[in-house]
Amino acid sequence: MDCIFCKIIAGEIPCFKLHEDDETLAFMDINPANEGHALVIPKEHSTDVHAISESAIAATVLTAKKIASAIQETLGPDGINLVQCNGPGAAQSVLHFHMHVLPRREGDELKLNWGLKPGDMDAIGALAERVRAKL
Ligand code: DGP
């Protein structure tokens, strides 16, 4: 299957991993909308909220909670959005269910459908190490 997130799960494409368990994987987003932007995915492939199994979405949300707390401790943002996009109108670009863990700063003016910008890989890798230390 030609799914970039399945390839990350399989270790065929590298990622800045934060957490892995039997059902989920959490890693840094390489196109961060804000500093500390992370993704949580189920290992079981499904395209979106309509297709995902109840057990996979439950496991993904539990991991997202852990990651959000670790990011909160690491960066002390003013807030965190858990965002999940389904379909082109919601700007879903990767067709493997995922939750964004999105740190927010007051006044950052971030909007839904924020657009993809390449991140600084050295900074993202260094931050991943700091977040992992809080897990
Ligand atoms: P969405 O637009 O909601 O489908 O979000 C997909 C996110 O995945 C987007 O923020 C960019 C991120 N992304 C795409 N390709 C890769 C990749 O190869 N590695 C990582 N770490 N993130 C990726």
Side-chain angles (χ1 to χ4, degrees):
M1 188 187 301
D2 195 24
C3 168
I4 195 156
F5 285 177
C6 285
K7 287 181 180 163
I8 288 176
I9 292 164
E12 292 165 16
I13 292 178
C15 71
F16 296 110
K17 191 189 290 188
L18 298 174
H19 167 88
E20 180 169 14
D21 56 44
D22 288 347
E23 291 158 296
T24 66
L25 179 69
F27 52 99
M28 304 303 287
D29 195 307
I30 56 167
N31 303 126
N34 266 345
E35 186 189 28
H37 184 173
L39 298 169
V40 183
I41 62 175
K43 288 186 174 176
E44 179 183 292
H45 179 88
S46 58
T47 51
D48 59 21
V49 72
H50 310 295
I52 192 169
S53 70
E54 289 187 355
S55 60
I57 196 171
T60 303
V61 170
L62 288 176
T63 298
K65 174 175 167 56
K66 287 193 185 93
I67 298 300
S69 297
I71 289 174
Q72 185 68 42
E73 262 196 82
T74 306
L75 287 174
D78 299 320
I80 291 185
N81 283 131
L82 298 182
V83 184
Q84 197 278 312
C85 308
N86 305 282
Q92 182 181 14
S93 58
V94 177
L95 299 182
H96 180 125
F97 183 96
H98 50 281
M99 294 200 71
H100 297 266
V101 181
L102 198 42
R104 299 298 307 273
R105 296 285 175 191
E106 281 178 20
D108 66 15
E109 300 293 338
L110 194 63
K111 304 283 189 289
L112 286 174
N113 298 13
W114 51 80
L116 301 181
K117 298 180 293 266
D120 173 338
M121 293 304 134
D122 290 340
I124 293 171
L127 189 50
E129 215 168 297
R130 289 173 57 204
V131 175
R132 272 196 304 273
K134 302 288 184 192
L135 281 165

